[in-house]
Amino acid sequence: MLHDTAETSTADHLGWPFGSHIEGLDQDDLCMAAYEIFFTSCRSSPGFGGRTTLSFHPSSIDNHDHHGIFSRQGSPKKESGVGMAPTSRIKRALGLKMLRRSITSRRTNSWGSSPASPRGSPRERDGSGSPVFSQSLAQSRQKRPLTSAEIMRQQMRVTEQSDNRLRKTLMRTLVGQVGRRAETIILPLELLRHLKPAEFNNPVEYHVWQKRQLKLLEVGLLHYPSIPIEKTNEFAMRLREMINSCEEKPLDTGKNSEPMKALCNTIVALAWRSPDGSTTDVCHWADGYPLNIHLYISLLYSVFDLKDNTSVLDEVDELLELMKKTWSTLGINRSIHNLCFTWVLFEQYIETGKVEGDLLGASLAMLAEVANDAKKGDREPIYVKMLAQALSSMKKWCDKRLLDYHANFSRENIGLMESILPLVFSASRILEEDVPGSTSTLQDKDTSSELSGNRVDLYIRSSLRHAFTNMLDNGNVNVNVVEVEEVGKALLHIAQATEELANMEKETYSHVLKKWHPIPAGVAVVTLHTCYGTLLRQYLSDSSSLTNETLEVLQRAGKLEKVLVQMVVEDSVESEDGGKTIVREMEPYEVDSIIMKSVRHWVQERLRVGNELLQRAKETETWNPKSKNEPYSQSVAELLKHAKIALEEFFEIPIPMPEDLVIDIAEGLQHAFQEYTTFASSCGSKQSYIPTLPPLTRCNRDSKFFMLWKKAAPSCTAPSCTPTDNSINTVSNEERHSRPSTSRGTQRMYIRLNTLHYLLSQLHMFDKTLTLSPKIVPSANNRFNNRSHQLGNSYFEETRTAIQAAIQHVSEVAAYRLIFLDSNSVFYGSVYVHDIENARIKPALKVLKQNLTLLGAIVTDRIQPLAIKEVMKATFDAYLMILLAGGGSRAFTRQEHPMIEEDFDSLKKVFSTVGEGLIAEEVVDKESETVEGVVGLMGQSTEQLVEDFSIVFTEINGTDAVGAGQKLPIPQTTGRWGRSDPNTILRVLCHRNDQAANIFLKKTFQLSKRR
């Protein structure tokens, strides 16, 4: 089989290492050129056309001195030109079997079949010679075995016509030069000179042949010269022009042809160059790299039997000996020959289907010769380059097979694997020790490891990974596509297949790899453990919950892990550390830990969904009731439904639940509830609805305002104006407009109250679920001891406290909004304005009762008492502001005290009678104490008020608070009004419409009059 010089892309073929493809010359051209050089170099040997051979008087010759495999003793002498050695020294040294038949046993049966017979004699072709002589000669030839020349012609598939033309050329070239050496003959030039078109079947055949000879000269002299040539060389440019001119029509090679003379002069000038410009006795036209290697390897492939290309001819000794004669022409030496022959044997093994293990063994034997050559100190740079490329290509091919030895070797051909392993290690050792820089350049990403290390470890891991992947593909398992449930079922089958693969590895391959690795089965098991673990973790990462199927997968994974660990232990008994190092590589599956991690992931996912619901509520909640029977927000219903389902699914997971996981989900729910509570209670504060206190002034019944009011009083008995322009300064513009009853904004606050109460009422259910579940077990990890739940304690105590505070806050804000905003026009804006008798509290009480009725209809029963109590407190505060901060439109006399007292009693009665005892009278009395104290002050005389003020002011500020002749400072407004508060008494005096109060305020504080 002949080698294709172009590097094949077939995955199973070996990459060509010796330079690039020879452009313009195909394999047949190279084989023909190689045969011509071979025949020319061996022309003086018997059987190649010499006089003795044609006369059939063979003479024996001795072999030249050899080295290595080719120097062993015991090779029998052969009859000249006839390969009849009963045994082959080289085949014996390489471990190759002898063939049962020899190619030389084939007899020639005619003159025409003999390549040694010239076809130039018409007498021989037409039979005009002596019949007796012809018949006896034919009988003689029929009994003669093939000569080496005939063997080579047949092996290289050279036609008789081409062989005869070559013989004629040599006869004409060597006329008078019998002793001329082959390395002084420029063979293509001689062929061009001596062969004419008449010697070919037609002109086209001649032209093709001529172009091949010229291309061979171009390649050898211009493209790949052994001595570098400059592009500007005159002869090189001329030769290139001549060759190009012959593309369209043949070159005239006549005796007197000027183009032919010019061609000869140019070629001779180029071929007879020397590196230093001195004269030389050797021409260089076929010894440039890589042309010489292409030609020589074409010769080497002739040693394989044409009928069985897995076998080497028994005549290999003689053929290789004859090939040595081409070394001087091709620039080959013993080291290059050994390397090329190693390569040829190895590639032949591959190209013939890897069926003949003897070829692989022969390659390994030759590699030992290459190793010896690589140690020599006189290596040429080109040899080092070839060595690196050839061994790298062989090693890469071997690596590729060994990196997936499960796909390339089986129980039937495991012996081949035993042969490849030492070969790749030998090649690696040569590259590492004898080829500078090869370690960093010969590695690829698939085989990246130090050459000095044990590569078997890499082979095992890589091959097991490939085998595991193929197992998945064969089982049609693709975790990236199929549903999680299908993957779960597949993982159960994969676990079983992985266990079988581990056993097969141990039984089939480990005993072979044991020669090169201390624990091959251990490494294989660790690799499978990792592969399955990766698949398992990917499956678990895609699982949203731990189902029965998931648990089954995990339990099977735990069983597999135990089997694999046991195999590692058994294989590591004889290792130095007892297998501790390899066992540490096995990352435990930690099934329990994975379950806990998966549950935690599941919990976090549920909490994340809860947070999304919370965020959506913040963006879209309008605080409208879900329905008439469900007077709370839609968002809280969704949040609690999600929490309930999450807890139910949590305890449906078919494993005991450690307490720390229960605490995790409880804390997550508590955080969500507290966030929602904060959101629901974010409705402002009561201060935003309380009007700004007007400035203190002296009361003046004769002011222009009162005079105008008295004139207008008959036609206006229900003023709607506010006491001052700044009575409400922190409410939005929309809400500044007075409303006759409860506004929609206040009603939405009632829905907030219901929502918070509904959330509070559901906490007990969650507490009960989390506390009483029989699946809860104590946590094994000590780090959770500080978080252990105490029996009898609530998981949501902080949430319960926060909700209660939020309900209190919302109730308060809703109450102040109802009184100071919604009821402003009938309460703070109307009661006692300008005229007490005509502006009593009765209309305000009517509206208040209506608002309380609406409150009872909206707010859930359980929180109505709190909501109404907050409305009562807001109403009492508003009534106090009417009496103490009513502005310039209100003034009171001592005589009007009974009416005020009566109005307040009516106000108290509204709250003590609302609903069915929603607020106890004791509560009403307690909350009304402050107002009753202020109302009591309004019944006292001005003198008594002034005296009480002086006493209280002195008690608080001391007798030295004001120096002699200085104005008394106005007491600070604290908002805590009462009989003992000097600011409260002062405000009563400011609203007292009599002369004594007016004089006291003017003299003591120099307060201005009302306008």
Side-chain angles (χ1 to χ4, degrees):
M1 177 178 181
L2 296 178
H3 172 72
D4 183 3
T5 55
E7 182 173 349
T8 179
S9 61
T10 305
D12 198 42
H13 287 186
L14 192 62
W16 173 256
F18 302 119
S20 61
H21 173 65
I22 305 299
E23 186 177 356
L25 295 175
D26 58 22
Q27 187 58 43
D28 291 337
D29 295 335
L30 292 171
C31 285
M32 189 64 215
Y35 176 76
E36 291 169 351
I37 294 172
F38 173 80
F39 194 93
T40 302
S41 301
C42 300
R43 72 190 187 283
S44 61
S45 301
F48 286 84
R51 184 182 303 277
T52 54
T53 304
L54 292 177
S55 301
F56 305 107
H57 296 291
S59 60
S60 61
I61 60 171
D62 294 331
N63 288 330
H64 298 287
D65 292 336
H66 300 289
H67 303 279
I69 287 177
F70 304 95
S71 65
R72 298 175 186 176
Q73 301 298 320
S75 177
K77 292 187 177 181
K78 301 173 284 294
E79 185 178 356
S80 297
V82 183
M84 298 185 64
T87 60
S88 168
R89 170 176 45 81
I90 293 178
K91 294 185 71 172
R92 186 170 62 250
L94 296 179
L96 299 172
K97 298 184 292 290
M98 293 295 293
L99 303 180
R100 293 182 179 180
R101 54 165 177 79
S102 173
I103 194 171
T104 56
S105 64
R106 305 171 193 166
R107 307 294 179 175
T108 59
N109 54 17
S110 70
W111 280 94
S113 66
S114 171
S117 125
R119 298 184 60 189
S121 172
R123 179 180 302 177
E124 296 167 359
R125 285 203 296 267
D126 59 15
S128 60
S130 170
V132 178
F133 174 78
S134 299
Q135 183 178 3
S136 61
L137 187 58
Q139 292 174 353
S140 164
R141 291 189 58 83
Q142 288 175 358
K143 298 179 181 180
R144 180 181 59 78
L146 297 179
T147 65
S148 297
E150 294 167 341
I151 293 174
M152 282 298 291
R153 186 179 71 78
Q154 287 189 5
Q155 290 294 106
M156 302 193 74
R157 295 184 172 88
V158 177
T159 65
E160 286 190 57
Q161 185 181 21
S162 298
D163 185 64
N164 288 336
R165 286 198 293 260
L166 175 60
R167 291 171 181 268
K168 288 179 181 180
T169 300
L170 292 177
M171 289 177 63
R172 296 166 183 171
T173 301
L174 299 176
V175 172
Q177 304 179 55
V178 179
R180 185 177 177 182
R181 293 178 299 156
E183 59 268 24
T184 64
I185 300 175
I186 307 175
L187 187 56
L189 180 60
E190 298 300 331
L191 289 170
L192 289 171
R193 289 178 60 226
H194 295 292
L195 293 181
K196 306 305 177 184
E199 301 183 62
F200 292 83
N201 294 328
N202 54 65
V204 175
E205 181 184 357
Y206 173 72
H207 190 198
V208 172
W209 172 86
Q210 187 183 82
K211 288 196 293 184
R212 177 175 71 82
Q213 300 300 332
L214 290 173
K215 176 57 69 174
L216 187 61
L217 287 169
E218 180 184 12
V219 171
L221 295 174
L222 301 181
H223 295 172
Y224 304 109
S226 59
I227 301 174
I229 187 171
E230 297 180 358
K231 292 184 179 180
T232 58
N233 184 284
E234 179 182 354
F235 294 106
M237 292 188 292
R238 189 180 304 167
L239 176 61
R240 193 173 288 110
E241 292 174 359
M242 293 179 180
I243 293 175
N244 292 336
S245 67
C246 296
E247 286 294 325
E248 299 298 329
K249 62 179 181 177
L251 176 70
D252 181 9
T253 60
K255 185 175 182 180
N256 298 319
S257 171
E258 291 299 328
M260 189 61 196
K261 291 180 181 179
L263 179 66
C264 291
N265 294 336
T266 302
I267 291 175
V268 169
L270 292 172
W272 286 92
R273 293 180 301 117
S274 63
D276 55 1
S278 61
T279 58
T280 177
D281 58 349
V282 178
C283 64
H284 304 279
W285 68 274
D287 55 348
Y289 178 83
L291 175 62
N292 59 342
I293 303 303
H294 280 269
L295 295 171
Y296 191 66
I297 285 183
S298 296
L299 289 176
L300 289 176
Y301 269 103
S302 65
V303 303
F304 296 105
D305 192 350
L306 290 179
K307 291 188 175 181
D308 181 8
N309 52 13
T310 63
S311 302
V312 175
L313 297 176
D314 292 343
E315 295 82 4
V316 62
D317 302 57
E318 183 175 353
L319 295 179
L320 291 180
E321 186 66 26
L322 292 172
M323 290 179 195
K324 283 179 58 178
K325 297 179 181 296
T326 66
W327 288 3
S328 58
T329 301
L330 297 177
I332 305 295
N333 56 31
R334 171 64 63 186
S335 298
I336 293 177
H337 163 79
N338 288 342
L339 180 61
C340 291
F341 194 44
T342 303
W343 167 265
V344 166
L345 290 170
F346 186 69
E347 188 183 41
Q348 189 71 3
Y349 160 73
I350 295 170
E351 296 296 331
T352 54
K354 306 183 292 297
V355 297
E356 183 52 69
D358 287 350
L359 290 177
L360 194 60
S363 302
L364 181 60
M366 282 302 304
L367 200 57
E369 298 294 320
V370 174
N372 294 331
D373 295 336
K375 297 293 183 183
K376 297 177 181 179
D378 56 347
R379 302 178 303 173
E380 297 179 357
I382 191 64
Y383 170 73
V384 176
K385 178 181 179 181
M386 292 175 56
L387 181 67
Q389 293 173 337
L391 295 187
S392 297
S393 182
M394 294 171 63
K395 177 178 170 298
K396 184 177 181 180
W397 188 91
C398 293
D399 279 342
K400 188 173 183 180
R401 272 72 200 161
L402 292 172
L403 287 168
D404 192 10
Y405 58 76
H406 286 84
N408 293 286
F409 307 102
S410 62
R411 193 187 302 272
E412 289 72 23
N413 66 345
I414 194 67
L416 296 178
M417 182 177 173
E418 294 185 74
S419 299
I420 287 181
L421 281 168
L423 189 145
V424 73
F425 293 143
S426 179
S428 299
R429 189 178 306 108
I430 296 172
L431 287 170
E432 181 188 31
E433 297 176 358
D434 303 311
V435 181
S438 64
T439 302
S440 60
T441 60
L442 300 178
Q443 303 303 312
D444 55 40
K445 63 182 180 180
D446 294 327
T447 59
S448 54
S449 68
E450 293 184 4
L451 286 171
S452 58
N454 193 339
R455 297 183 61 82
V456 174
D457 190 280
L458 177 63
Y459 297 148
I460 296 172
R461 295 178 190 273
S462 174
S463 186
L464 265 297
R465 283 193 292 267
H466 281 99
F468 189 84
T469 302
N470 292 335
M471 181 177 67
L472 299 184
D473 294 339
N474 295 336
N476 296 321
V477 179
N478 187 344
V479 295
N480 295 320
V481 177
V482 298
E483 297 295 331
V484 172
E485 292 77 7
E486 297 177 6
V487 176
K489 295 177 181 178
L491 276 176
L492 297 175
H493 297 294
I494 293 172
Q496 180 62 34
T498 302
E499 188 173 331
E500 294 173 358
L501 180 59
N503 289 324
M504 187 267 289
E505 171 73 19
K506 182 178 180 181
E507 296 171 0
T508 305
Y509 301 103
S510 294
H511 72 278
V512 174
L513 300 170
K514 193 77 172 180
K515 302 174 183 178
W516 309 95
H517 195 286
I519 46 174
V523 174
V525 165
V526 169
T527 304
L528 289 176
H529 181 272
T530 301
C531 290
Y532 188 82
T534 301
L535 207 60
L536 177 66
R537 292 181 183 91
Q538 183 178 353
Y539 163 73
L540 293 175
S541 67
D542 296 335
S543 301
S544 59
S545 61
L546 281 176
T547 62
N548 291 332
E549 181 181 81
T550 307
L551 275 180
E552 187 178 1
V553 169
L554 287 170
Q555 291 168 353
R556 185 63 183 87
K559 179 182 177 182
L560 172 64
E561 185 173 44
K562 291 179 181 178
V563 172
L564 297 180
V565 170
Q566 182 61 32
M567 293 178 67
V568 172
V569 172
E570 292 175 356
D571 193 49
S572 306
V573 172
E574 300 178 358
S575 62
E576 295 179 357
D577 62 351
K580 295 180 180 179
T581 302
I582 194 69
V583 169
R584 280 195 292 267
E585 290 188 33
M586 299 180 72
E587 183 179 354
Y589 291 161
E590 297 180 346
V591 173
D592 294 337
S593 176
I594 291 176
I595 292 175
M596 292 301 103
K597 182 179 179 181
S598 299
V599 174
R600 285 193 176 89
H601 175 77
W602 181 91
V603 169
Q604 293 301 320
E605 183 63 21
R606 292 301 180 274
L607 295 178
R608 183 189 64 78
V609 174
N611 288 332
E612 290 179 354
L613 290 174
L614 179 60
Q615 186 62 34
R616 186 162 64 247
K618 291 180 180 180
E619 297 173 356
T620 61
E621 183 56 66
T622 59
W623 301 111
N624 290 315
K626 183 179 179 182
S627 66
K628 184 176 181 180
N629 296 326
E630 297 173 321
Y632 41 80
S633 68
Q634 177 73 24
S635 59
V636 77
E638 292 177 354
L639 181 63
L640 290 173
K641 179 181 178 181
H642 170 74
K644 181 179 179 182
I645 293 175
L647 279 183
E648 290 175 353
E649 292 180 351
F650 177 75
F651 285 110
E652 285 176 359
I653 297 175
I655 60 168
M657 284 298 171
E659 188 178 3
D660 62 277
L661 283 176
V662 177
I663 294 176
D664 282 344
I665 195 169
E667 289 180 348
L669 293 176
Q670 180 166 246
H671 174 75
F673 294 159
Q674 289 181 351
E675 281 287 317
Y676 190 88
T677 299
T678 302
F679 162 63
S681 62
S682 299
C683 56
S685 66
K686 69 176 185 179
Q687 298 300 328
S688 61
Y689 299 103
I690 298 177
T692 304
L693 297 180
L696 292 175
T697 59
R698 289 181 288 150
C699 184
N700 183 9
R701 285 283 187 176
D702 298 325
S703 66
K704 293 181 180 180
F705 184 82
F706 268 94
M707 292 175 65
L708 291 172
W709 173 253
K710 287 179 180 180
K711 291 180 181 181
S715 60
C716 185
T717 59
S720 60
C721 59
T722 59
T724 64
D725 293 338
N726 299 323
S727 59
I728 302 176
N729 61 351
T730 59
V731 184
S732 65
N733 291 332
E734 181 183 350
E735 293 174 335
R736 287 183 184 274
H737 300 289
S738 299
R739 294 177 174 83
S741 61
T742 306
S743 66
R744 290 299 301 261
T746 304
Q747 293 178 39
R748 284 192 285 268
M749 286 193 179
Y750 294 161
I751 301 303
R752 289 178 186 252
L753 283 175
N754 292 343
T755 298
L756 290 169
H757 177 264
Y758 180 66
L759 177 59
L760 180 66
S761 66
Q762 298 300 307
L763 295 182
H764 176 71
M765 177 191 68
F766 293 121
D767 249 335
K768 183 177 179 181
T769 302
L770 290 169
T771 305
L772 301 180
S773 174
K775 299 183 68 175
I776 301 176
V777 296
S779 299
N781 199 327
N782 292 330
R783 72 184 181 91
F784 294 108
N785 285 348
N786 295 332
R787 300 175 60 203
S788 61
H789 179 69
Q790 299 296 325
L791 187 62
N793 292 346
S794 170
Y795 283 97
F796 302 100
E797 194 59 42
E798 294 181 7
T799 304
R800 185 174 284 105
T801 303
I803 294 176
Q804 290 171 347
I807 291 175
Q808 176 69 38
H809 172 73
V810 175
S811 298
E812 183 181 68
V813 175
Y816 275 78
R817 177 187 172 93
L818 175 68
I819 299 303
F820 284 98
L821 179 64
D822 300 346
S823 305
N824 178 70
S825 60
V826 296
F827 204 80
Y828 182 65
S830 299
V831 176
Y832 302 154
V833 172
H834 305 307
D835 183 16
I836 295 178
E837 184 176 358
N838 294 317
R840 299 283 294 274
I841 201 173
K842 186 175 180 181
L845 295 181
K846 182 177 180 181
V847 174
L848 177 61
K849 290 179 181 179
Q850 293 174 351
N851 287 337
L852 291 177
T853 301
L854 180 61
L855 183 152
I858 297 176
V859 177
T860 186
D861 295 345
R862 296 293 297 273
I863 54 173
Q864 283 185 21
L866 176 62
I868 295 176
K869 180 181 177 181
E870 291 301 322
V871 173
M872 179 181 67
K873 291 168 66 176
T875 306
F876 289 172
D877 281 353
Y879 193 71
L880 280 175
M881 289 194 66
I882 291 173
L883 299 179
L884 300 177
S889 61
R890 290 185 174 94
F892 306 101
T893 63
R894 185 180 180 185
Q895 290 74 24
E896 295 170 334
H897 171 260
M899 288 186 290
I900 295 174
E901 192 172 36
E902 181 183 353
D903 283 350
F904 184 64
D905 287 340
S906 299
L907 180 60
K908 289 170 55 179
K909 187 177 180 180
V910 169
F911 291 104
S912 61
T913 58
V914 65
E916 298 179 359
L918 291 177
I919 303 181
E921 290 189 11
E922 296 81 5
V923 176
V924 176
D925 293 338
K926 182 178 180 181
E927 294 295 334
S928 64
E929 289 177 355
T930 300
V931 183
E932 288 178 342
V934 173
V935 172
L937 288 174
M938 299 183 72
Q940 293 181 1
S941 64
T942 301
E943 291 76 10
Q944 184 63 45
L945 289 173
V946 170
E947 182 181 353
D948 289 348
F949 174 80
S950 300
I951 295 172
V952 173
F953 184 86
T954 303
E955 290 178 352
I956 295 176
N957 298 284
T959 57
D960 301 330
V962 181
Q966 292 183 352
K967 183 181 71 171
L968 195 68
I970 296 177
Q972 183 179 0
T973 301
T974 63
R976 295 185 295 272
W977 291 331
R979 298 179 65 97
S980 59
D981 176 39
N983 185 268
T984 303
I985 299 174
L986 179 61
R987 288 180 175 276
V988 174
L989 287 170
C990 288
H991 287 78
R992 177 62 61 89
N993 187 18
D994 62 18
Q995 189 66 23
N998 190 30
I999 294 173
F1000 171 75
L1001 294 174
K1002 179 179 180 183
K1003 180 180 179 181
T1004 307
F1005 300 103
Q1006 298 181 358
L1007 294 178
S1008 61
K1009 290 183 179 181
R1010 299 179 185 177
R1011 295 184 180 275

